Amino acid sequence: MTALASRSGRSTPADTRRRLVVIGNGMAGARAVEEILARGGAVQHRITMFGDEPYGNYNRIMLSHVLSGEEDAGGIFLNSLDWYRENDITLHAGVRVEKIDRFAKLVFSDDGRATPYDVLIIATGSRSFMPAVEGLYTPGGRLLPGVFAFRTIDDTRGMVSYAQEDHHRRAVVIGGGLLGLEAARGLQSHGIGVDVVHSGGHLMNAQMGPDGGAVLRRSVEALGIRVHTSSRTTAILGGDKVRGVQLRDAPDIACDMVVVAAGIRPNVEVAVTSGLPVERAIVVDDHMRVPDEDEIYAVGECVQHRGEVYGLVAPLWEQAAVLADHVTGANPKATYLGSRTATKLKVAGVDVASMGLQAPERDTDEHVVFSEPSRGVFKSIVIRDSKIVGATLLGDSRKVAYLTQAFDRGLPLPEERVSLLFDLGGPGEEDGVAELDGDAQVCNCNGVSKQAITDTVKGGCTTLSGVMDATRAGKGCGSCKLLVRQVVEWAADGAVDEDPAAAYYVPGVPLEKAALMAAIREQGLRSVSAVFAALAPGGAEDAKSKMGLASLLKMMWAGEYIDERDARFVNDRVHANIQRDGTFSVVPQMKGGVTSPEQLRRIADVADKYNIPMVKLTGGQRIDLLGVPKEDLPKVWADLEMPSGYAYGKSFRTVKTCVGQEFCRFGTGDSTKLGIEIESRFQGIESPAKLKLAVSGCPRNCAESLVKDVGVVAVDGGRWEIYVGGAAGAHIRKGDLLATVDDPETVTLLAGRFMQYYRERANWLERTYAFVPRVGIEHLRAVIVDDAEGLAAQLDAAMQESVDAYVDPWNEGNDPFTPGQFRTSLPLEVLPQVPVR
Amino acid sequence: MSAGLPGGGLDGSGLSGGGLHVLGPVDQIPVGEGRAYGVGGEQIAVFRLRDGSLRAVSAVCPHKGGPIADGTIDGSVVMCPLHQHAFELQTGCSTTGTGPLRSYPVFADESQNVVVLLP
Ligand SMILES: Cc1cc2nc3c(=O)[nH]c(=O)nc-3n(C[C@H](O)[C@H](O)[C@H](O)COP(=O)(O)OP(=O)(O)OC[C@H]3O[C@@H](n4cnc5c(N)ncnc54)[C@H](O)[C@@H]3O)c2cc1C
Ligand code: SF4
Ligand code: FES
């Protein structure tokens, strides 16, 4: 509608619309323009925007995700360049405004342009505050190489590429607030070890008190981030590039990178030079207008309203709406009265919510506290005159919706205060949602209100995923997903359609796993194409579903499976792991991590002969030959004369062992022998996701058995404990004890039975760490150990069938399965290079 | 590295660039898979769909240079093996928001050879 309006405006011979100029193309500037357009403002205004970043406008909040690699920089744009074009907005990207002439009504930019305005909006945001630390800058006045701020896409990209340079291993983050912790977590995902240096007495001291900070610290340290509180950085060491930091009262920390996240400062230079009122930031009134300037507005982080400067997005959404009401005349009475900031975030993977006071201030204030540091949970509520005046929640955000409302609107509280912290029949979450105002923001990342969600549901979109797609709610940091679901449920009056596709085993075949398996068995479908033909809508193939179906069919039919190679992922087509430059990595089998001089010699010879760029030990106790071109794979396998170690597939991979009884002084069981037996038996079997196992010879657990899909630990008295569902990757979980048994044979039997049950019941790509808690360890014990459902014999037989059908895939090297199976798919000139050591 | 890439461009027969290029027998490409060819100095991935028809697109993923011929396909898209960006086989357009691949007309002639047309 607005696009049309503006076009018809343009076609009139002289454009009589008012010239609206916006300085700053960030979250507030763009939001203000969106709000203006939504009020039909394009009919009245010809819009020009200046932004000194050379891009369209993007979601700054998502930079943490870009840093961690979860999101592509391209994926966080809020408005593409097309949006500016469609709405007839002139965007000067990469252009900085230097001065405003309020009398001539002109803005001067660094490209030499003078742009006239009738209405001006200043939305220059803020920048990272750089504390006075020695050595931060080069003599030329630039940041020392290796020092980064964390504010823009360019900062983030710079950090990522620096972190990925191989000799860069350690970083120090200055600042233990929200941003610093996000930066620390993000850097970790690039394999960088991180120290956080924080001058405050505890982490996130702007949002929480010392007790919450202590719990947060534990959670953060559990992630492997070192924390130094009450600690001030006095100098950056290096000279030509970062080599460390010097602290005031502690030894130096050596590092390759420094990220400064020590707070922000509003960008007020333009306003100051142009004679506008600036205190801590640009002063505005309740109409978002600069005092005494009828035609100049300001919005966002560069603004000071009633003494407050905000550093979160929620307030600027409210400001933008008021500003638009005035600029367009849609509601001349609209006023902005300030925001009560409730922070509700996921910081470094930990749910954090905080609002109002951190601690009681008066003798009569009540303080309700619950703390469970071992689980990273901390909840504290400050109550005054039976109203919530402050709350901090860490690690458990289930009551956030209700508490935020109670805080915002002063709702009456239950007698039994403890029900504010837990669901004890107190005000339920639904009540909380019903109480929410329509314009209350549900998703802060994408600025989606309760009303917007309700409207979408009323418009006929009644699945959670449908609403999320339509509104983008919950698609930011994800911490509001639960609340989004609650609002959808409330708006649909309970008539929420479960998104059926969420339960499908694979997206292209509309059946859950059990129903799919039943149909496959009934109709005798033995190949992936047969499944599509019989069960997919219109018989259509679906690329995303092929690999999952291939795995399922192989598990179900073992030797009778009809193997169509196009259904496999390339790794499984060439039995090696594809790398970022299109070459492959080869990991020969090394059962239980045991090898021989003869094998090592052969591996070394192969590495020489084929110019293998990197030979590396894997986390699973094997040797990885990296950088093998596809066409060399058959020759490499032939010369190795070792079976495949399955480092590529969704399959059983490896059994890590410790030395155990034979050599170790402490060993009480022969872990190496058992590990080799287990690996020999289950090599190569398909599963919904990879399976990594370990056997340790005593509870010292040198093979790290407690964090494996199946982990075995020898305990005193010749007995063995079997743990399942452990993980030590992106997700960390200690396995649950399935059983303690008397002999290694029973270990192998129960491990096999568990894996078969997992193969039959787990969703595609569901690791055991998700599967085990989902079905429950008691249930697993009943089925697998006690045979409560009479399934044991069947599970054992099915596993035996898969074991019997095993063939070493590397034999295909001599006898390719398909024409050109090992022909290169790389371009002539190898494109992206991975570093060669 | 180029040794494994047969096709018009490399063996000298088609270095001229534009026009029709014969890449050899269709059954060099297994059903449902793709193979890469160097043709007239360009890298082209040719896919043989399960319905028997052929599709040809550029062989290098615009996202981060992934080998498109190693991708998984269905009747309409190919998914790059590196980061799972998907591209329409017919047009080369990405369905996941990255840049497009080029697409080329391709067919099997009467002696069952793959023929691509380069602009
Ligand atoms: C990594 C990170 C994570 C964050 N996470 C959260 C979060 O989870 N939740 C939350 O609520 N908030 C978060 N924030 C804060 C949030 O991003 C800001 O509150 C918000 O971006 C402020 O919007 P703004 O438009 O006022 O400023 P900005 O988004 O900074 O936009 C201002 C723009 O104006 C440009 N500019 C400045 N001066 C000029 C000039 N003279 N001429 C032309 N252009 C100029 C700037 O370069 C910038 O592009 C986060 C911030 C960062 C950096
Ligand atoms: S409310 Fe939505 S936007 Fe927010 S912090 Fe949450 S997930 Fe991110
Ligand atoms: S290189 Fe193809 S998807 Fe990334």
Side-chain angles (χ1 to χ4, degrees), chain B residues 61 63-66 80 82-85:
Chain B
C61 181
H63 178 228
K64 293 202 172 156
C80 175
L82 291 196
H83 314 94
Q84 273 65 49
H85 273 298

Side-chain angles (χ1 to χ4, degrees), chain A residues 177-367:
Chain A
L178 156 71
L179 217 54
L181 294 178
E182 287 283 313
R185 187 65 175 149
L187 288 173
Q188 270 197 319
S189 60
H190 298 283
I192 301 276
V194 188
D195 287 66
V196 171
V197 176
H198 185 53
S199 58
H202 60 272
L203 293 176
M204 284 185 75
N205 49 342
Q207 285 85 10
M208 64 184 72
D211 300 336
V215 173
L216 179 63
R217 178 185 186 133
R218 262 184 86 137
S219 304
V220 167
E221 284 177 336
L223 300 170
I225 295 169
R226 273 169 302 238
V227 177
H228 314 260
T229 46
S230 304
S231 194
R232 209 173 269 280
T233 317
T234 47
I236 312 281
L237 306 172
D240 59 332
K241 61 174 199 151
V242 171
R243 300 185 192 275
V245 300
Q246 189 180 63
L247 304 184
R248 192 182 43 198
D249 308 315
D252 298 350
I253 306 176
C255 64
D256 317 298
M257 293 179 78
V258 168
V259 177
V260 184
I264 55 173
R265 289 293 177 270
N267 288 322
V268 295
E269 293 72 12
V270 177
V272 171
T273 345
S274 313
L276 296 174
V278 173
E279 291 170 10
R280 288 165 61 211
I282 306 170
V283 178
V284 293
D285 63 18
D286 291 351
H287 299 166
M288 303 312 296
R289 224 184 287 240
V290 174
D292 305 324
E293 298 288 337
D294 285 346
E295 306 299 352
I296 304 182
Y297 296 81
V299 64
E301 273 186 1
C302 62
V303 155
Q304 172 183 329
H305 171 264
R306 296 195 179 191
E308 291 288 334
V309 178
Y310 299 96
L312 292 167
V313 294
L316 64 87
W317 298 153
E318 297 171 33
Q319 296 173 353
V322 171
L323 183 153
D325 279 338
H326 284 276
V327 167
T328 58
N331 176 9
K333 292 212 190 83
T335 45
Y336 174 69
L337 299 174
S339 302
R340 297 190 86 170
T341 43
T343 323
K344 175 164 56 72
L345 304 158
K346 228 184 177 65
V347 181
V350 182
D351 283 318
V352 177
S354 99
M355 55 200 92
L357 299 183
Q358 298 171 357
E361 287 179 345
R362 301 185 190 162
D363 289 348
T364 49
D365 287 348
E366 290 173 61
H367 196 199

Side-chain angles (χ1 to χ4, degrees), chain A residues 694-768:
Chain A
V695 184
S696 295
C698 83
R700 284 179 183 74
N701 253 314
C702 298
E704 294 158 352
S705 303
L706 296 182
V707 288
K708 295 291 167 190
D709 293 293
V710 179
V712 182
V713 182
V715 291
D716 223 15
R719 294 170 55 104
W720 301 85
E721 291 177 338
I722 307 172
Y723 291 86
V724 294
H731 189 96
I732 300 178
R733 180 175 195 272
K734 177 174 174 290
D736 296 329
L737 182 64
L738 179 71
T740 306
V741 303
D742 292 326
D743 51 80
E745 292 72 35
T746 318
V747 172
T748 313
L749 179 78
L750 292 186
R753 198 179 289 165
F754 165 75
M755 287 191 277
Q756 182 63 23
Y757 190 72
Y758 165 67
R759 293 200 319 148
E760 294 185 10
R761 304 299 156 106
N763 296 322
W764 176 234
L765 303 183
E766 182 181 31
R767 291 286 305 264
T768 62

Side-chain angles (χ1 to χ4, degrees), chain A residues 505 513-514 517 521 552 555-556 686-688 753-763 771 774 791 794-799:
Chain A
Y505 173 70
K513 184 166 183 177
M517 285 174 67
R521 212 164 263 132
L552 184 71
M555 187 269 288
M556 291 176 64
E686 282 70 29
S687 57
R753 198 179 289 165
F754 165 75
M755 287 191 277
Q756 182 63 23
Y757 190 72
Y758 165 67
R759 293 200 319 148
E760 294 185 10
R761 304 299 156 106
N763 296 322
F771 174 76
R774 176 165 70 82
L791 290 175
Q794 206 177 305
L795 292 170
D796 296 345
M799 180 52 96

